[in-house]
Amino acid sequence: MDTKIIYDINDTTLTEAAQTIRSGGLVAFPTETVYGLGGNALDPTAANKIYKAKGRPSNNPLIIHLARPEDAESYCHTNETYYKLAERFMPGPLTVILPKRDIVPYEVTGGLDTVAVRVPSDRVAHRFIELAGVPVAAPSANLSTKPSPTMAGHVIRDLSGSIDMIIAGDDCDIGVESTIITLSPVPKLLRPGLVTVEELREICPDIEISDAVLNQHQGRPESPGMMYKHYSPRANVVLLRGADEARQAFLADKSECGMLCYDEDTELLKNRYALAVGSKDSPKEQARNLFAKLREFDDIEDIKTIYAPMTASDGIGLAVLNRLIRAAGFEILDLD
Ligand code: AMP
Ligand code: MG
Protein backbone atom coordinates (compact mmCIF):
# COMPACT_ATOMS: atom_id res chain seq x y z
CA MET A 1 0.00 0.00 0.00
CA ASP A 2 1.19 3.52 -0.81
CA THR A 3 1.30 5.62 2.34
CA LYS A 4 0.73 9.33 1.80
CA ILE A 5 2.90 11.40 4.13
CA ILE A 6 1.60 14.87 4.92
CA TYR A 7 4.31 17.36 5.83
CA ASP A 8 2.34 20.48 5.00
CA ILE A 9 -0.31 20.51 7.70
CA ASN A 10 -3.27 22.82 7.10
CA ASP A 11 -7.05 22.63 6.90
CA THR A 12 -6.96 21.32 3.34
CA THR A 13 -4.62 18.43 4.08
CA LEU A 14 -6.33 17.68 7.43
CA THR A 15 -9.69 17.58 5.65
CA GLU A 16 -8.26 14.96 3.30
CA ALA A 17 -7.00 12.97 6.31
CA ALA A 18 -10.42 13.28 7.98
CA GLN A 19 -12.09 12.01 4.80
CA THR A 20 -9.73 9.01 4.82
CA ILE A 21 -10.91 8.16 8.36
CA ARG A 22 -14.58 8.48 7.33
CA SER A 23 -14.07 6.15 4.40
CA GLY A 24 -12.57 3.43 6.59
CA GLY A 25 -8.85 4.18 6.18
CA LEU A 26 -6.06 4.52 8.74
CA VAL A 27 -4.24 7.79 9.48
CA ALA A 28 -1.34 8.26 11.93
CA PHE A 29 -1.38 11.65 13.64
CA PRO A 30 0.60 13.57 16.28
CA THR A 31 -0.79 14.14 19.78
CA GLU A 32 0.75 15.76 22.86
CA THR A 33 1.59 12.28 24.27
CA VAL A 34 2.75 10.02 21.41
CA TYR A 35 1.72 9.57 17.75
CA GLY A 36 -1.57 7.71 17.37
CA LEU A 37 -2.77 5.31 14.64
CA GLY A 38 -6.34 6.43 13.98
CA GLY A 39 -9.39 4.79 12.47
CA ASN A 40 -13.16 5.34 12.71
CA ALA A 41 -14.09 4.09 16.21
CA LEU A 42 -17.61 3.17 15.05
CA ASP A 43 -16.33 0.91 12.27
CA PRO A 44 -15.34 -2.65 13.33
CA THR A 45 -13.41 -3.15 10.08
CA ALA A 46 -11.25 -0.09 10.77
CA ALA A 47 -10.49 -1.43 14.28
CA ASN A 48 -9.42 -4.76 12.81
CA LYS A 49 -7.17 -2.95 10.32
CA ILE A 50 -5.49 -1.14 13.24
CA TYR A 51 -4.72 -4.41 15.05
CA LYS A 52 -3.35 -5.88 11.83
CA ALA A 53 -1.13 -2.90 10.90
CA LYS A 54 0.42 -2.85 14.38
CA GLY A 55 0.60 -6.61 14.84
CA ARG A 56 -1.40 -6.02 18.04
CA PRO A 57 -3.52 -8.72 19.69
CA SER A 58 -7.17 -7.82 19.09
CA ASN A 59 -8.10 -8.28 22.76
CA ASN A 60 -5.93 -5.25 23.66
CA PRO A 61 -8.52 -2.43 23.45
CA LEU A 62 -8.17 0.94 21.73
CA ILE A 63 -8.66 4.41 23.22
CA ILE A 64 -11.24 6.55 21.43
CA HIS A 65 -10.25 10.16 20.82
CA LEU A 66 -12.84 12.93 20.94
CA ALA A 67 -12.86 16.64 20.13
CA ARG A 68 -14.71 17.64 23.33
CA PRO A 69 -15.21 16.02 26.77
CA GLU A 70 -19.02 16.14 26.42
CA ASP A 71 -18.83 14.09 23.18
CA ALA A 72 -18.24 11.10 25.50
CA GLU A 73 -22.02 11.15 26.25
CA SER A 74 -22.71 9.41 22.93
CA TYR A 75 -20.24 6.58 23.49
CA CYS A 76 -20.28 5.78 27.21
CA HIS A 77 -22.25 6.20 30.43
CA THR A 78 -20.58 9.19 32.09
CA ASN A 79 -20.92 10.26 35.72
CA GLU A 80 -20.11 13.20 37.98
CA THR A 81 -16.52 12.09 38.57
CA TYR A 82 -15.93 12.00 34.81
CA TYR A 83 -16.97 15.63 34.49
CA LYS A 84 -14.84 16.66 37.48
CA LEU A 85 -11.83 14.97 35.88
CA ALA A 86 -12.71 16.49 32.50
CA GLU A 87 -12.93 19.98 33.94
CA ARG A 88 -9.48 19.70 35.45
CA PHE A 89 -7.55 17.59 32.93
CA MET A 90 -9.26 17.76 29.52
CA PRO A 91 -8.25 18.47 26.88
CA GLY A 92 -5.03 16.77 27.89
CA PRO A 93 -3.16 13.54 28.59
CA LEU A 94 -5.84 11.73 30.61
CA THR A 95 -7.85 8.68 29.46
CA VAL A 96 -10.98 7.69 31.38
CA ILE A 97 -12.64 4.26 31.20
CA LEU A 98 -16.43 4.04 31.55
CA PRO A 99 -19.21 1.56 30.67
CA LYS A 100 -19.67 1.64 26.89
CA ARG A 101 -22.82 2.32 24.91
CA ASP A 102 -23.97 -0.15 22.23
CA ILE A 103 -22.82 2.08 19.38
CA VAL A 104 -19.16 1.31 20.23
CA PRO A 105 -18.23 -2.01 18.59
CA TYR A 106 -16.63 -4.76 20.69
CA GLU A 107 -13.80 -4.82 18.14
CA VAL A 108 -12.69 -1.43 19.55
CA THR A 109 -12.96 -2.43 23.22
CA GLY A 110 -11.25 -5.79 22.83
CA GLY A 111 -14.49 -7.47 23.81
CA LEU A 112 -14.92 -5.47 27.05
CA ASP A 113 -18.13 -3.72 28.17
CA THR A 114 -16.13 -0.58 28.95
CA VAL A 115 -14.57 2.00 26.64
CA ALA A 116 -11.57 4.32 27.07
CA VAL A 117 -12.04 8.00 26.08
CA ARG A 118 -9.55 10.83 25.71
CA VAL A 119 -9.61 14.40 24.43
CA PRO A 120 -6.17 15.40 23.10
CA SER A 121 -4.99 18.98 23.58
CA ASP A 122 -2.56 18.96 20.64
CA ARG A 123 -3.75 21.49 18.08
CA VAL A 124 -3.30 19.24 15.03
CA ALA A 125 -4.89 16.24 16.78
CA HIS A 126 -7.85 18.33 17.87
CA ARG A 127 -8.50 19.78 14.43
CA PHE A 128 -8.11 16.39 12.74
CA ILE A 129 -10.60 14.72 15.12
CA GLU A 130 -13.03 17.63 14.80
CA LEU A 131 -12.90 17.42 10.99
CA ALA A 132 -13.29 13.62 11.06
CA GLY A 133 -16.70 14.09 12.68
CA VAL A 134 -16.49 10.56 14.15
CA PRO A 135 -14.67 9.36 17.27
CA VAL A 136 -11.14 8.28 16.34
CA ALA A 137 -9.92 4.96 17.80
CA ALA A 138 -6.16 5.19 18.14
CA PRO A 139 -3.48 3.16 19.86
CA SER A 140 0.11 4.33 19.66
CA ALA A 141 1.35 4.35 16.04
CA ASN A 142 4.18 1.85 16.48
CA LEU A 143 4.60 -1.80 15.64
CA SER A 144 3.44 -3.83 18.64
CA THR A 145 6.26 -4.45 21.22
CA LYS A 146 8.35 -1.48 19.92
CA PRO A 147 8.79 1.77 21.89
CA SER A 148 5.93 4.19 21.21
CA PRO A 149 6.57 6.80 18.49
CA THR A 150 7.31 10.34 19.61
CA MET A 151 8.57 11.62 16.24
CA ALA A 152 7.10 11.40 12.74
CA GLY A 153 10.21 9.47 11.66
CA HIS A 154 9.38 6.69 14.12
CA VAL A 155 5.94 6.24 12.56
CA ILE A 156 7.29 6.33 9.02
CA ARG A 157 9.81 3.65 9.94
CA ASP A 158 7.24 1.35 11.61
CA LEU A 159 4.11 1.78 9.49
CA SER A 160 4.83 3.25 6.11
CA GLY A 161 3.53 0.82 3.47
CA SER A 162 0.83 -0.56 5.77
CA ILE A 163 -1.48 2.43 6.45
CA ASP A 164 -3.12 5.08 4.27
CA MET A 165 -1.67 8.29 5.60
CA ILE A 166 0.79 9.77 8.09
CA ILE A 167 0.43 13.34 9.35
CA ALA A 168 4.10 14.17 9.92
CA GLY A 169 3.89 16.88 12.58
CA ASP A 170 6.22 17.99 15.36
CA ASP A 171 7.90 15.83 17.99
CA CYS A 172 5.55 14.97 20.86
CA ASP A 173 5.88 17.21 23.85
CA ILE A 174 5.03 14.74 26.63
CA GLY A 175 6.61 11.60 25.14
CA VAL A 176 4.78 8.93 27.19
CA GLU A 177 1.20 7.78 26.67
CA SER A 178 -1.78 9.20 28.57
CA THR A 179 -2.55 8.43 32.19
CA ILE A 180 -5.38 5.86 32.27
CA ILE A 181 -7.94 5.83 35.07
CA THR A 182 -10.93 3.54 35.15
CA LEU A 183 -14.12 4.66 36.93
CA SER A 184 -15.79 1.34 36.38
CA PRO A 185 -16.63 0.33 39.03
CA VAL A 186 -14.29 2.43 41.28
CA PRO A 187 -11.46 4.86 40.48
CA LYS A 188 -8.26 2.99 39.77
CA LEU A 189 -5.06 4.04 38.04
CA LEU A 190 -4.29 1.57 35.25
CA ARG A 191 -1.40 3.39 33.56
CA PRO A 192 0.62 6.32 34.94
CA GLY A 193 1.38 9.35 32.77
CA LEU A 194 1.92 13.10 32.95
CA VAL A 195 -1.28 13.50 34.98
CA THR A 196 -0.04 12.03 38.28
CA VAL A 197 -1.75 9.90 40.94
CA GLU A 198 -1.10 12.74 43.37
CA GLU A 199 -3.14 15.08 41.13
CA LEU A 200 -5.90 12.52 40.53
CA ARG A 201 -6.22 12.02 44.29
CA GLU A 202 -7.44 15.62 44.60
CA ILE A 203 -10.57 14.57 42.69
CA CYS A 204 -10.68 10.86 43.53
CA PRO A 205 -9.31 10.65 47.11
CA ASP A 206 -9.78 6.87 47.22
CA ILE A 207 -8.08 6.11 43.91
CA GLU A 208 -6.36 2.73 43.91
CA ILE A 209 -3.24 1.92 41.92
CA SER A 210 -3.41 -1.20 39.79
CA ASP A 211 -0.94 -3.82 40.83
CA ALA A 212 0.06 -4.09 37.16
CA VAL A 213 1.60 -0.58 37.15
CA LEU A 214 4.88 -1.81 38.59
CA ASN A 215 4.47 -5.57 38.88
CA GLN A 216 4.40 -8.43 36.48
CA HIS A 217 0.85 -9.65 36.34
CA GLN A 218 -0.41 -13.19 36.44
CA GLY A 219 -3.55 -13.67 34.36
CA ARG A 220 -5.57 -10.91 32.75
CA PRO A 221 -5.06 -7.48 34.37
CA GLU A 222 -7.67 -4.71 34.34
CA SER A 223 -5.80 -3.07 31.49
CA PRO A 224 -5.11 -5.81 28.96
CA GLY A 225 -2.21 -3.79 27.49
CA MET A 226 -0.28 -4.35 30.70
CA MET A 227 0.25 -8.04 30.02
CA TYR A 228 2.01 -7.71 26.70
CA LYS A 229 5.68 -7.21 25.91
CA HIS A 230 6.08 -3.49 25.45
CA TYR A 231 8.39 -0.61 24.61
CA SER A 232 11.22 -2.95 23.67
CA PRO A 233 14.23 -2.01 21.57
CA ARG A 234 16.13 -4.79 19.79
CA ALA A 235 18.72 -5.23 22.57
CA ASN A 236 17.81 -6.65 25.97
CA VAL A 237 17.12 -3.93 28.57
CA VAL A 238 18.22 -4.46 32.19
CA LEU A 239 17.38 -2.04 35.02
CA LEU A 240 19.99 -1.30 37.66
CA ARG A 241 18.68 -0.79 41.16
CA GLY A 242 20.99 1.06 43.54
CA ALA A 243 22.78 4.33 44.25
CA ASP A 244 24.17 6.37 41.34
CA GLU A 245 27.74 5.61 42.50
CA ALA A 246 27.07 1.86 42.45
CA ARG A 247 25.56 2.13 38.95
CA GLN A 248 28.48 4.21 37.70
CA ALA A 249 30.97 1.73 39.16
CA PHE A 250 29.09 -1.24 37.64
CA LEU A 251 29.05 0.35 34.19
CA ALA A 252 32.63 1.67 34.27
CA ASP A 253 34.06 -1.30 32.35
CA LYS A 254 30.98 -2.19 30.24
CA SER A 255 32.14 -0.44 27.08
CA GLU A 256 30.32 -2.79 24.66
CA CYS A 257 26.90 -2.27 26.22
CA GLY A 258 24.26 0.37 25.68
CA MET A 259 23.75 2.68 28.66
CA LEU A 260 20.80 4.91 29.25
CA CYS A 261 22.15 7.66 31.51
CA TYR A 262 21.16 10.86 33.23
CA ASP A 263 22.72 14.14 32.07
CA GLU A 264 24.59 14.12 35.36
CA ASP A 265 26.44 10.86 34.51
CA THR A 266 29.19 12.85 32.80
CA GLU A 267 31.90 10.15 33.01
CA LEU A 268 29.60 7.41 31.66
CA LEU A 269 28.47 9.67 28.84
CA LYS A 270 32.00 9.61 27.38
CA ASN A 271 31.24 5.99 26.47
CA ARG A 272 30.34 5.61 22.79
CA TYR A 273 27.15 3.66 23.51
CA ALA A 274 25.88 5.92 26.28
CA LEU A 275 22.82 8.11 25.68
CA ALA A 276 21.39 10.71 28.05
CA VAL A 277 17.66 10.57 28.74
CA GLY A 278 17.57 13.89 30.62
CA SER A 279 18.39 15.32 34.01
CA LYS A 280 18.01 13.07 37.03
CA ASP A 281 15.92 15.87 38.58
CA SER A 282 13.51 16.14 35.66
CA PRO A 283 11.21 13.14 35.14
CA LYS A 284 9.35 15.32 32.65
CA GLU A 285 12.46 15.54 30.47
CA GLN A 286 13.07 11.80 30.90
CA ALA A 287 9.49 11.09 29.80
CA ARG A 288 9.90 13.27 26.71
CA ASN A 289 13.11 11.54 25.60
CA LEU A 290 12.67 7.96 26.79
CA PHE A 291 11.17 6.27 23.72
CA ALA A 292 13.32 8.17 21.21
CA LYS A 293 16.47 7.16 23.11
CA LEU A 294 15.38 3.50 23.33
CA ARG A 295 14.85 3.59 19.56
CA GLU A 296 18.29 5.16 19.01
CA PHE A 297 19.90 2.06 20.48
CA ASP A 298 18.38 0.05 17.60
CA ASP A 299 20.75 1.88 15.25
CA ILE A 300 23.79 0.61 17.13
CA GLU A 301 24.32 -2.74 15.44
CA ASP A 302 26.50 -4.60 17.90
CA ILE A 303 24.94 -4.06 21.30
CA LYS A 304 23.13 -6.94 22.98
CA THR A 305 22.32 -5.30 26.33
CA ILE A 306 21.16 -1.85 27.39
CA TYR A 307 21.53 -0.91 31.06
CA ALA A 308 19.20 1.74 32.46
CA PRO A 309 18.71 3.24 35.92
CA MET A 310 15.65 2.58 38.11
CA THR A 311 14.11 6.04 38.03
CA ALA A 312 12.14 7.70 40.83
CA SER A 313 8.62 6.36 41.42
CA ASP A 314 6.76 9.47 42.52
CA GLY A 315 4.99 12.08 40.40
CA ILE A 316 5.78 11.84 36.67
CA GLY A 317 8.62 9.48 37.65
CA LEU A 318 6.06 6.68 38.01
CA ALA A 319 5.20 7.01 34.29
CA VAL A 320 8.86 6.72 33.29
CA LEU A 321 9.49 3.80 35.64
CA ASN A 322 6.36 1.96 34.41
CA ARG A 323 7.64 2.13 30.79
CA LEU A 324 11.24 1.26 31.70
CA ILE A 325 10.24 -1.78 33.76
CA ARG A 326 8.24 -3.11 30.80
CA ALA A 327 11.02 -2.29 28.33
CA ALA A 328 13.22 -4.43 30.59
CA GLY A 329 10.65 -7.23 30.75
CA PHE A 330 10.86 -6.85 34.57
CA GLU A 331 14.58 -7.73 34.59
CA ILE A 332 16.17 -5.81 37.49
CA LEU A 333 19.71 -6.19 38.80
CA ASP A 334 20.24 -5.25 42.47
CA LEU A 335 23.54 -3.42 42.99
CA ASP A 336 23.24 -2.78 46.72
P1 AMP B 1 -2.17 2.40 23.55
O1 AMP B 1 -3.30 2.72 22.66
O2 AMP B 1 -1.03 1.76 22.89
O3 AMP B 1 -1.82 3.60 24.38
O4 AMP B 1 -2.81 1.37 24.54
C1 AMP B 1 -4.07 1.61 25.08
C2 AMP B 1 -4.12 1.11 26.47
O5 AMP B 1 -5.43 1.39 27.00
C3 AMP B 1 -3.90 -0.37 26.57
O6 AMP B 1 -3.00 -0.63 27.63
C4 AMP B 1 -5.27 -0.91 26.89
O7 AMP B 1 -5.21 -2.07 27.65
C5 AMP B 1 -5.91 0.25 27.65
N1 AMP B 1 -7.37 0.25 27.51
C6 AMP B 1 -8.11 0.71 26.48
N2 AMP B 1 -9.43 0.48 26.68
C7 AMP B 1 -9.53 -0.13 27.85
C8 AMP B 1 -10.63 -0.64 28.61
N3 AMP B 1 -11.88 -0.56 28.17
N4 AMP B 1 -10.36 -1.22 29.79
C9 AMP B 1 -9.09 -1.31 30.24
N5 AMP B 1 -8.01 -0.87 29.58
C10 AMP B 1 -8.21 -0.28 28.40
MG1 MG C 1 0.93 1.32 22.62
Side-chain angles (χ1 to χ4, degrees):
M1 173 189 294
D2 248 1
T3 301
K4 180 163 183 175
I5 302 179
I6 296 177
Y7 292 99
D8 188 12
I9 301 173
N10 54 50
D11 256 14
T12 310
T13 52
L14 288 180
T15 299
E16 190 189 342
Q19 180 55 43
T20 303
I21 292 288
R22 276 198 303 276
S23 45
L26 301 189
V27 178
F29 61 102
T31 81
E32 68 277 20
T33 56
V34 302
Y35 272 75
L37 174 58
N40 180 353
L42 303 180
D43 175 1
T45 313
N48 285 329
K49 280 193 202 168
I50 291 176
Y51 295 116
K52 181 149 181 263
K54 278 181 64 84
R56 175 176 175 126
S58 61
N59 64 354
N60 186 2
L62 312 175
I63 294 171
I64 74 171
H65 293 69
L66 308 170
R68 279 161 294 271
E70 58 272 27
D71 294 349
E73 266 334 306
S74 313
Y75 311 110
C76 51
H77 300 279
T78 62
N79 57 29
E80 201 186 328
T81 310
Y82 170 76
Y83 280 103
K84 281 191 191 156
L85 289 168
E87 195 182 337
R88 170 93 188 263
F89 301 111
M90 292 183 187
L94 180 70
T95 295
V96 182
I97 295 175
L98 288 160
K100 81 174 194 69
R101 290 191 190 273
D102 290 344
I103 189 173
V104 179
Y106 280 110
E107 283 77 0
V108 165
T109 67
L112 299 174
D113 289 317
T114 51
V115 65
V117 295
R118 173 163 120 73
V119 180
S121 59
D122 178 84
R123 194 180 47 83
V124 172
H126 173 79
R127 187 66 181 141
F128 165 60
I129 295 162
E130 187 172 50
L131 288 167
V134 292
V136 177
S140 49
N142 53 292
L143 286 174
S144 197
T145 81
K146 289 273 152 210
S148 300
T150 57
M151 299 176 176
H154 299 157
V155 184
I156 293 170
R157 197 159 172 174
D158 276 17
L159 295 176
S160 117
S162 46
I163 62 176
D164 297 282
M165 216 178 261
I166 297 170
I167 302 173
D170 294 336
D171 298 350
C172 302
D173 193 39
I174 294 174
V176 291
E177 305 87 342
S178 58
T179 301
I180 303 181
I181 179 176
T182 180
L183 298 181
S184 176
V186 290
K188 192 169 203 174
L189 178 82
L190 301 187
R191 178 173 73 186
L194 190 81
V195 173
T196 63
V197 201
E198 292 85 348
E199 288 173 311
L200 290 170
R201 210 165 265 140
E202 292 168 23
I203 290 166
C204 305
D206 299 327
I207 185 173
E208 296 169 31
I209 300 179
S210 168
D211 189 43
V213 167
L214 289 181
N215 297 300
Q216 195 158 18
H217 218 276
Q218 306 300 329
R220 190 175 163 93
E222 294 107 330
S223 182
M226 291 292 192
M227 75 184 159
Y228 295 108
K229 182 176 172 188
H230 237 133
Y231 317 126
S232 308
R234 197 175 35 76
N236 188 42
V237 179
V238 179
L239 295 196
L240 300 176
R241 182 174 8 224
D244 286 332
E245 298 71 32
R247 182 172 49 86
Q248 288 158 352
F250 174 84
L251 292 173
D253 60 351
K254 302 271 185 304
S255 59
E256 300 305 308
C257 294
M259 302 173 193
L260 191 69
C261 299
Y262 297 124
D263 293 348
E264 291 83 354
D265 294 320
T266 44
E267 275 307 306
L268 291 179
L269 285 168
K270 290 177 185 159
N271 191 298
R272 61 192 167 139
Y273 300 150
L275 298 174
V277 70
S279 168
K280 174 158 189 185
D281 300 327
S282 176
K284 202 167 177 177
E285 209 170 87
Q286 295 161 25
R288 183 180 302 136
N289 295 324
L290 179 66
F291 291 138
K293 292 300 160 187
L294 288 178
R295 279 175 178 260
E296 269 183 51
F297 286 114
D298 280 353
D299 296 328
I300 308 174
E301 277 310 318
D302 38 356
I303 57 163
K304 305 262 182 302
T305 307
I306 300 165
Y307 290 103
M310 286 279 286
T311 54
S313 62
D314 57 334
I316 301 165
L318 186 63
V320 177
L321 186 57
N322 167 272
R323 303 326 186 266
L324 264 178
I325 282 185
R326 284 187 162 64
F330 298 90
E331 195 177 343
I332 299 170
L333 200 62
D334 244 311
L335 298 178
D336 293 337

